Amino acid sequence: MEGAVIMSTPVRGMSTPVRRIAIIGGGPGGLYAAALLKRLDPGRDITVWERNAPDDTFGFGVVLSDETLGGIEHADPEVYEALCEDFVRWDDIDIVHRGTRHTSGGHGFAALGRRRLLDILHTRCRALGVDLRFRTEAPPDPARTHDLVIAADGVNSTTRQRLGHVFRPHVTPHHCRYIWLAADFPFDAFRFEIAETEHGVLQLHGYPYSPDASTVIIEMREEVWRAAGFDEVTVQESTERCAKIFAEALRGRPLRSNNSTWTTFRTVVNDHWSHGNTVLLGDAAHTAHFSIGSGTKLAVEDALALAACLEEQPSLDRALAAYEAERKPVVASTQRAARASLEWFENLNLYLDQPPRQFAFNLLTRSRRVTHDNLRLRDPRFTGAVEREFGCPPGTPPMFTPFRLRGLTLRNRVVVSPMDMYSATDGVPGDFHLVHLGARALGGAGLVMTEMVCVSPEGRITPGCTGLYNGRQAAAWKRITDFVHERSPGTAIGLQLGHSGRKGSTKLMWEGIDEPLPEGNWPVVAPSPIPYKPSNQTPRELGRAQLTDIREQFTAAAWRAARAGFDLLELHCAHGYLLSGFLSPLANRRTDAYGGSLHKRLRFPLEVFDAVREVWPQERPMTVRISATDWAEGGTTAEDAVEIARAFAAHGADAIDVSTGQVVAEEHPEYGRSYQTPYADRIRHETGVPVIAVGAISSWDDVNSLILAGRTDLCALARPHLYDPHWTLHAAAEQ
C-alpha cells in the first residue's frame, strides 16, 4: 500500500472519537472498511446497509495485485489468510487474433470469486461484531445520527447524487457496451481474444477465478452492438450468441450470466470526496475501467487509507482531508492508465492489421504502465520476438533503429523537440543558440529541431525570438548547421518555421508568458480580430493582400533555410500561432473562403505549405506540427486532426508532428504521461502518414514502448534534453 500504514493502536486519540459509523453499500470496499475500523477499535458501533441480498453480485471474479494483498496482510492477517486459501494464480497473458495466439509470461495474477470474497468479508465482519443489514435501504440522513458516514454505494451512488452540489461529480460515458459472463472451466492464462464479424469487432477478456470457472467479459463498440442486434434480444440470447462467436476460446462450452446486463462503462471523478462527516469510497468516488482490473483494488486500498487516517489524525476533519490528499493522486494515476486502456479497446479496429506480435505488444502496453522494459524483464523471449519482427538488429533497442523521410535517413528515432529560447537579438541566433543546438546534436539524437523561427519581425512572439527574414540571420543559422554537420555528422538538423499571429508582441517567457510588452509593441494579425486573452492586443484581420505577403514571407524564409543547410523543414501550424489560428474554429470566425468549414479553414495553411514545398529542395523532407485538439469546447477535435493530417499528407507532408493545445487561453488539458501520444497514434493508423509524438515522453523506456507498439515513428523530447543534452547517448549506454 502506498502512503499510510495501518497501525494496531492509534497514534493519537481524536478530540471527538468516531464511535458510531454508518457504511452505505456492502461491496468489498464498504465491508473491508467496516472490518478494519471495528478491528482497530472494538468499541465502535458500525452498521453496514446493503440494499441487495448477501449473495447478490454483478460479476464473477476479482483480481487483486500483490501491492493490495500486502496492505491487507499487514492490516488484517486473518482476511489475508482466508483470501490466499482460495486464490487462483497464473503468470501468462494470451492474445489471440486472426487465429494466432501469442503468449507473454511473467505477469503474476491472483484472483478469486467475487461471492467468495464477499463471504470472507461477511464472516470477518460478523466475527468482529459489525451489524450487517441486507435487503435494507440506509436511513435517509445517517449523517445526523452517526459520527461518520462512509458512502461505498457504487457507481450509481445515491449519496453522491444527493450531495452532488458538494462532491461535484463528473461522469463520462464511453463508446463500448460490455457484459459480465462466466465459463465453467478455468482459462490457463489471462486471455484477450479478438473476433472480427460482419457487424464489426468484438473482444473477449477472460481469466480464471476458481479451479473450475472463469470470468468472461464481452465488449464491443455501441454501433457494433446495435448492428449485431444485441439491443433487441434477451440477456440469455446474447449469452448464447457470444458463446458461438467465441466457441474456440470457450472450447465449445456455454457461457452463463447472473445479474449482469449489457452496460456502458462510465468514468466517475469527483472534485471533492468528503463533506462534513460523509466520505466517498470506491466506485462512489472513482471508477477505473475493468480492462486494468483495478475497481476492487482501489476500493480496498481506499478502505486501508481511510482507516489509517482515522487512526493517525487528531480530528475527523483532518482525517478525511488526509485520506483525500493521499488517495486522489494515486487514483488519478490509475484512472489515466485505465482511460488509456479503455480508449485502446474502443479504437481496436485501428490496430487489426498490425503484424501479429506487434499487435500483441501494443495490447500489453496499452495503458502505458506496462512498458518495453517491463516486458523485457518479464518475458525476454516474447519481447525479443517482437523486436525481430519489427526489424531491430540483435541487441538494438527500437529507438535506435533508423528511419527514412524522403531523402533523409535518421540514425535513430529520437528528436530534440523545438524549444523557444527567447535569446536572440534582432532575430539573429548567437553563441547561445550554437551551444544550445550544438550540444544537443553532439548528444546523439537523430534529429535536432530549432525553436520556431519567425518569417518577419512582426511574426515574432517576443523580441527575443529568432528569425529568418534577412541575410544576417541566414548566415548565423548556417554557422550552426555547419557545426552540426561537421561535428556530429550522424545528426540531422531541422528548422521549424512559423508566424506568431495573435500571440505575438509579448514579453520574454520569464517576464510574463503571453503578456503584452509594456512598450514597443508591434501590431499583430490573425484570421479574425479575436485577442488571445483580454490583456492581449486585438489582432487585425488579414485581408487577401496581407495573406499573399505572409505567404511570400514563408517562401523567402524557406529559401534562406535551404541555403543555410537545414536538412528538414517543419511548418508550425500548432499552438495558436498564425497558421494554427486559421485551423481552429475558436480563432477563425471568417465568413470568406478562408473560414467556416474545416476545408475552408485549411485553405491558407495549405497555400503556405504548397508555396514552401515548391522552393524547398525536393529531396529534403517537410513536416507539419499541428495541435490535434484545442482542449476546449467547440474547438479542433481528434476527428478534425485526422482530416488536417490527411490534407497535409495529400499535399506532400512527409510526417505530422502531433502536439495539442495552446490555441486558446481557456483550455483544459488532460495532462499525464505521454498524454498527447493517442492523437499521434490515431493519425498514424487512420491516415498512414508517419507521425512524431510529443508531450510528457520522458524516458527511453517510453520511447521504445511507443515505437515498438507502432503508436509513433519518432519521439520528440524537450525537457529531458534541457536537463541532459546527452540524453540519447546516455540512453544508449544505459541499455
Side-chain angles (χ1 to χ4, degrees):
M1 175 193 170
E2 297 182 27
V5 175
I6 297 293
M7 307 297 291
S8 58
T9 58
V11 173
R12 61 177 72 89
M14 285 193 175
S15 55
T16 304
V18 175
R19 291 298 182 191
R20 298 199 70 211
I21 300 175
I23 298 178
I24 305 172
L31 291 169
Y32 192 53
L36 285 175
L37 292 169
K38 188 69 171 177
R39 180 175 182 268
L40 288 166
D41 186 349
R44 286 171 171 150
D45 178 3
I46 301 178
T47 305
V48 176
W49 280 277
E50 170 54 56
R51 67 173 61 184
N52 296 305
D55 58 350
D56 282 351
T57 179
F58 297 89
F60 292 94
V62 174
V63 179
L64 295 175
S65 69
D66 289 342
E67 179 186 40
T68 305
L69 291 174
I72 293 173
E73 181 180 19
H74 182 81
D76 193 335
E78 291 189 35
V79 170
Y80 175 77
E81 289 173 9
L83 292 173
C84 288
E85 289 178 5
D86 285 273
F87 270 134
V88 174
R89 296 182 182 273
W90 72 98
D91 291 317
D92 290 347
I93 297 176
D94 285 345
I95 297 99
V96 183
H97 175 42
R98 293 182 176 171
T100 302
R101 181 176 71 175
H102 292 288
T103 300
S104 172
H107 295 277
F109 295 99
L112 79 164
R114 185 175 176 87
R115 284 182 177 170
R116 178 56 185 147
L117 173 61
L118 293 175
D119 286 343
I120 291 169
L121 294 174
H122 292 160
T123 300
R124 184 60 172 149
C125 284
R126 290 191 181 100
L128 291 167
V130 175
D131 183 4
L132 301 180
R133 302 186 184 184
F134 296 102
R135 299 186 179 91
T136 306
E137 294 286 348
D141 192 6
R144 298 181 63 183
T145 55
H146 291 76
D147 301 321
L148 173 65
V149 178
I150 300 174
D153 46 349
V155 64
N156 297 312
S157 169
T158 56
T159 309
R160 187 186 67 230
Q161 293 170 13
R162 180 169 54 84
L163 296 173
H165 62 289
V166 178
F167 295 129
R168 294 176 59 192
H170 307 273
V171 181
T172 306
H174 298 285
H175 300 299
C176 284
R177 290 272 183 165
Y178 69 96
I179 190 169
W180 290 85
L181 303 169
D184 292 324
F185 73 93
F187 285 122
D188 54 9
F190 204 127
R191 187 180 183 101
F192 294 100
E193 181 151 345
I194 313 304
E196 297 174 75
T197 73
E198 60 182 319
H199 305 294
V201 181
L202 292 75
Q203 56 259 21
L204 175 151
H205 311 243
Y207 58 88
Y209 66 86
S210 76
D212 58 1
S214 297
T215 291
V216 177
I217 306 169
I218 306 298
E219 184 183 26
M220 69 198 81
R221 286 186 67 97
E222 173 84 17
E223 59 267 29
V224 177
W225 182 75
R226 293 189 181 279
F230 284 111
D231 60 328
E232 299 175 346
V233 299
T234 66
V235 169
Q236 181 58 36
E237 290 171 314
S238 288
T239 302
E240 293 170 358
R241 289 179 61 182
C242 289
K244 289 180 181 179
I245 292 170
F246 291 100
E248 184 175 348
L250 298 171
R251 307 172 191 174
R253 301 189 186 191
L255 290 168
R256 58 183 170 87
S257 175
N258 51 16
N259 296 316
S260 297
T261 58
W262 290 103
T263 190
T264 301
F265 185 81
R266 290 171 293 161
T267 298
V268 174
V269 177
N270 286 278
D271 289 350
H272 303 286
W273 289 12
S274 65
H275 171 61
N277 64 345
T278 301
V279 64
L280 301 178
L281 183 147
D283 282 356
H286 48 71
T287 58
H289 192 247
F290 57 81
S291 61
I292 67 167
S294 289
T296 302
K297 170 185 183 297
L298 289 176
V300 169
E301 290 178 351
D302 283 354
L304 285 162
L306 179 59
C309 292
L310 287 168
E311 294 303 299
E312 295 173 354
Q313 297 297 326
S315 68
L316 180 61
D317 287 347
R318 293 273 295 274
L320 298 185
Y323 161 71
E324 187 169 340
E326 177 186 334
R327 291 298 296 159
K328 261 192 168 181
V330 177
V331 168
S333 176
T334 301
Q335 287 189 309
R336 284 193 295 269
R339 180 72 175 260
S341 178
L342 175 156
E343 290 178 348
W344 193 93
F345 282 110
E346 285 184 337
N347 298 304
L348 177 63
N349 62 311
L350 293 178
Y351 311 113
L352 295 176
D353 293 327
Q354 283 190 308
R357 287 190 178 87
Q358 186 179 54
F359 176 86
F361 180 87
N362 196 354
L363 186 152
L364 291 170
T365 59
R366 67 194 180 280
S367 74
R368 302 194 283 273
R369 283 194 160 184
V370 176
T371 65
H372 172 262
D373 202 40
N374 296 150
L375 285 176
R376 188 167 55 179
L377 289 172
R378 297 179 190 190
D379 192 341
R381 179 177 297 181
F382 169 79
T383 309
V386 180
E387 290 173 345
R388 287 192 297 275
E389 188 176 78
F390 182 77
C392 299
T396 302
M399 65 184 288
F400 290 107
T401 55
F403 189 73
R404 187 175 182 84
L405 288 171
R406 202 169 285 237
L408 176 67
T409 299
L410 302 176
R411 62 179 176 180
N412 60 52
R413 307 298 185 99
V414 179
V415 178
V416 176
S417 196
M419 294 175 275
D420 287 325
M421 294 287 108
Y422 308 109
S423 299
T425 302
D426 296 328
V428 178
D431 290 346
F432 174 89
H433 298 84
L434 175 66
V435 173
H436 168 69
L437 295 169
R440 281 144 190 87
L442 293 171
L447 173 64
V448 174
M449 292 297 301
T450 69
E451 61 193 88
M452 185 177 89
V453 177
C454 305
V455 298
S456 68
E458 299 78 22
R460 293 175 297 164
I461 309 166
T462 76
C465 289
T466 58
L468 199 43
Y469 43 85
N470 62 42
R472 185 173 166 224
Q473 294 160 354
W477 282 117
K478 189 172 188 308
R479 177 187 177 218
I480 294 170
T481 62
D482 285 347
F483 176 89
V484 171
H485 293 144
E486 291 170 10
R487 299 293 183 174
S488 185
T491 297
I493 182 166
L495 173 89
Q496 187 184 72
L497 198 60
H499 186 296
S500 61
R502 67 176 183 163
K503 295 178 75 176
S505 190
T506 60
K507 297 177 182 177
L508 302 179
M509 181 183 69
W510 48 88
E511 295 175 351
I513 189 167
D514 295 325
E515 293 297 325
L517 293 168
E519 57 184 6
N521 285 281
W522 56 85
V524 297
V525 297
S528 301
I530 306 169
Y532 179 66
K533 294 189 299 186
S535 59
N536 293 104
Q537 290 184 55
T538 298
R540 184 179 76 251
E541 180 172 307
L542 289 164
R544 177 64 262 183
Q546 290 78 36
L547 292 174
T548 300
D549 290 343
I550 288 174
R551 188 186 65 208
E552 291 177 354
Q553 289 169 357
F554 271 94
T555 57
W559 180 82
R560 293 187 184 96
R563 292 176 64 84
F566 285 101
D567 302 299
L568 175 147
L569 188 147
E570 178 167 282
L571 192 64
H572 201 338
C573 297
H575 300 168
Y577 299 122
L578 182 65
L579 299 182
S580 171
F582 273 92
L583 295 174
S584 172
L586 298 178
N588 183 348
R589 304 286 176 81
R590 300 173 74 101
T591 58
D592 63 0
Y594 293 99
S597 68
L598 178 59
H599 175 75
K600 290 182 176 180
R601 299 198 308 272
L602 269 161
R603 188 187 301 270
F604 184 63
L606 288 174
E607 286 181 2
V608 172
F609 180 91
D610 290 342
V612 170
R613 180 71 267 185
E614 187 173 347
V615 301
W616 184 247
Q618 285 301 304
E619 71 279 5
R620 300 187 207 177
M622 272 188 67
T623 64
V624 179
R625 174 167 277 204
I626 67 170
S627 284
T629 175
D630 291 346
W631 297 117
E633 187 176 353
T636 299
T637 66
E639 292 75 18
D640 292 337
V642 170
E643 295 309 311
I644 290 168
R646 186 174 280 124
F648 278 112
H651 282 245
D654 299 290
I656 305 297
D657 187 354
V658 187
S659 186
T660 63
Q662 302 179 55
V663 176
V664 293
E666 59 272 21
E667 66 178 4
H668 298 284
E670 297 176 4
Y671 292 118
R673 179 179 176 187
S674 307
Y675 72 103
Q676 296 177 142
T677 302
Y679 297 95
D681 186 358
R682 180 171 180 175
I683 287 170
R684 184 180 191 272
H685 283 93
E686 287 201 29
T687 69
V689 64
V691 296
I692 305 168
V694 304
I697 302 170
S698 58
S699 71
W700 49 258
D701 194 19
D702 287 340
V703 176
N704 283 325
S705 301
L706 294 169
I707 290 168
L708 192 57
R711 297 183 193 130
T712 189
D713 299 283
L714 300 166
C715 286
L717 300 90
R719 288 177 178 85
H721 283 116
L722 284 179
Y723 173 74
D724 178 5
H726 291 78
W727 185 87
T728 308
L729 290 179
H730 289 149
E734 289 167 11
Q735 295 177 80

